Amino acid sequence: LVQLDDTLLRAQIDQQQALVAQSEVAAKQAEAQAARVSGLDNSGVLSQEQIEDRRFQAQSARAQANAQAAGLRDLRARQAKMTVRAPVGGVVFERNVRPGDLAAGGASPMFRIIRDGLVELEAQVAESEIVNIRTGQAVQVTLPSGKTLQGTVRLIGPNVDPQTKLGQIRVALPVSSDLRPGGFGRAIFGQAS
């Protein structure tokens, strides 16, 4: 859906790759020095302290190389998130982002997608009428344009607003170019199935 600008992240990745290469060379050098003294324990050629120091330097250098590699994996994971992909297939019916906009995590959705051809009307129904409505019931929805769509009750809200005495009913509608996010329609509920 969107490719975010990852220029700074790419520069950080290049820098981290260089650090990984340096750390890997240092680790191999320290491991080679430790390998040269293996088997010399208690031989008197080198003190035990020098032998252990080389072993610890090799372990430390390998740990540093592993830490640098982990840092590179973290940056690459961040770079992978610079491409915003749709979590589901469907039709984009609302776009709230334009080229040049700044990405703000959690602010508002960039896109709204019609998933599996599911478009909903959120109907407000009087408390006294909700008892007559059932899931799966046919609904005739008239749009402001005069077009009529056939839908079905998908969900009956569990609560009624104590101030307005209205409950929420979600009506599944077929995808139509006449539907607009935030638009209005009039719903007539048929007999329960």
Side-chain angles (χ1 to χ4, degrees), residues 8-148:
L8 294 175
L9 202 51
R10 282 190 313 236
Q12 290 175 338
I13 288 172
D14 291 344
Q15 183 181 22
Q16 190 65 29
Q17 284 174 328
L19 291 173
V20 167
Q22 282 180 331
S23 297
E24 193 59 38
V25 168
K28 285 181 181 177
Q29 182 182 21
E31 288 167 348
Q33 289 176 356
R36 282 196 289 276
V37 297
S38 69
L40 295 180
D41 292 303
N42 302 319
S43 67
V45 176
L46 289 175
S47 71
Q48 194 62 32
E49 182 180 348
Q50 289 174 317
I51 294 171
E52 288 176 5
D53 187 46
R54 286 190 183 182
R55 288 178 183 153
F56 290 139
Q57 285 177 0
Q59 289 174 351
S60 175
R62 177 52 56 200
Q64 180 65 29
N66 291 341
Q68 294 292 355
L72 180 59
R73 286 190 301 274
D74 175 60
L75 288 171
R76 285 187 174 148
R78 289 184 197 187
Q79 185 181 35
K81 293 183 183 225
M82 298 302 280
T83 301
V84 178
R85 300 187 195 305
V88 296
V91 177
V92 174
F93 76 94
E94 183 179 0
R95 181 182 10 210
N96 299 314
V97 65
R98 295 178 315 270
D101 284 352
L102 296 177
S108 65
M110 291 181 180
F111 299 93
R112 291 191 190 271
I113 298 174
I114 299 172
R115 179 182 185 173
D116 301 327
L118 177 64
V119 180
E120 289 186 329
L121 169 73
E122 186 175 292
Q124 295 181 339
V125 179
E127 178 180 19
S128 60
E129 298 296 322
I130 288 181
V131 295
N132 299 323
I133 298 173
R134 302 282 178 259
T135 303
Q137 184 173 342
V139 180
Q140 181 178 330
V141 177
T142 304
L143 302 176
S145 66
K147 184 172 181 176
T148 301

Side-chain angles (χ1 to χ4, degrees), residues 145-168:
S145 66
K147 184 172 181 176
T148 301
L149 299 173
Q150 295 300 318
T152 56
V153 175
R154 188 183 75 77
L155 180 70
I156 300 170
N159 300 325
V160 173
D161 187 310
Q163 293 177 349
T164 64
K165 302 296 184 200
L166 296 174
Q168 300 292 323

